[in-house]
């Protein structure tokens, strides 16, 4: 059995896509985007570029404060990027949607004696509020969030506070997440095993994970039987 399971949050345990879509719909409707599909597609492209830069070590806050101004500019609309980012962040703070089966997974792992940790990129206040609002916070012993640490996955320095607190995790821990670029690569750089949560059964094209799980049942089986 694996002793420590480090869980990503967004689209691994929490239904970030649902909350994001609701938040973006409100923002784009407010600022006059008539074609929501075009708006979503434009924002998604810019947002991917922003998070790719953040994961490469560039300044997080400055980049996040430009993603809406850049996206809306491509849509022909001028906005205050930092102000819209604050509005969007407020919406995300109340995104408490959980993926189906999350409580059963975490409850079973905790009951089996697995130590559960959160390891997520994002804004500390937002992530902690969502953990509390979703009712998931009581499953976890500790939370490691990129804003607090100063480094984001896949930077191996993201994991240093975990190693400092819990000792050598390389032989008894696993990183569980949905993103190859962040979770799997980050774990590899930190010499940790990884489980790629892949419910859409996508083909691995890079950053080979230690394990691949298409369901929470598979995640549980890997952690308890490894």
């Amino acid at each position: 059995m694996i002793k420590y399971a480090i869980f990503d949050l967004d689209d691994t345990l929490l239904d970030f896509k649902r909350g994001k879509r609701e938040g973006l719909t409100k923002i784009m409707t407010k600022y006059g985007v008539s074609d929501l599909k075009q708006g979503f597609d434009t924002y998604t492209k810019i947002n991917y570029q922003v998070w790719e830069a953040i994961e490469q070590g560039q300044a997080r806050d400055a980049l996040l404060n430009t993603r809406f101004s850049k996206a809306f500019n491509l849509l022909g609309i001028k906005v205050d990027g930092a102000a819209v980012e604050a509005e969007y962040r407020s919406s995300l703070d109340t995104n408490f949607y959980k993926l189906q089966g999350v409580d059963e997974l975490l409850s079973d792992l905790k009951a089996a004696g697995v130590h559960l940790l959160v390891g997520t990129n994002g804004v500390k206040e937002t992530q902690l509020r969502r953990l509390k609002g979703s009712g998931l916070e009581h499953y976890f012993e500790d939370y490691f969030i990129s804003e607090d640490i100063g480094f984001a996955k896949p930077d191996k320095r993201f994991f240093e506070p975990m190693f400092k607190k819990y000792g050598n995790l390389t032989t008894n821990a696993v990183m569980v997440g949905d993103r190859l670029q962040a979770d799997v690569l980050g774990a590899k750089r930190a010499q940790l095993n990884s489980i790629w949560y892949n419910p859409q059964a996508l083909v691995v094209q890079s950053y080979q994970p230690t394990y691949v799980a298409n369901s929470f049942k598979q995640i549980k089986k890997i952690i308890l039987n490894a």
Side-chain angles (χ1 to χ4, degrees), residues 138-187:
H138 70 280
Y139 293 114
F140 296 97
E141 295 183 14
D142 213 338
Y143 316 102
F144 298 89
I145 303 171
S146 62
E147 182 186 37
D148 209 23
I149 296 169
F151 301 99
K153 294 173 292 182
D155 194 315
K156 69 178 182 179
R157 289 172 291 184
F158 172 86
F159 296 91
E160 287 181 355
M162 299 182 200
F163 283 88
K164 183 176 182 180
K165 186 168 184 176
Y166 293 98
N168 185 9
L169 297 176
T170 56
T171 59
N172 58 12
V174 66
M175 176 74 222
V176 186
D178 67 300
R179 295 199 62 220
L180 290 170
Q181 172 69 31
D183 303 308
V184 171
L185 178 59

Side-chain angles (χ1 to χ4, degrees), residues 32-78:
V33 177
S34 56
D35 186 337
L36 290 180
K37 183 180 184 305
Q38 181 187 16
F40 292 151
D41 290 346
T42 302
Y43 170 82
T44 298
K45 181 179 179 180
I46 296 297
N47 189 54
Y48 178 85
Q49 294 170 354
V50 163
W51 276 105
E52 190 174 49
I54 291 172
E55 289 165 358
Q56 290 172 355
Q58 296 186 41
R60 182 186 60 86
D61 289 344
L63 285 164
L64 291 177
N65 283 335
T66 65
R67 59 181 173 175
F68 281 103
S69 57
K70 289 178 179 177
F72 276 97
N73 186 57
L74 291 174
L75 297 168
I77 301 171
K78 300 293 184 181

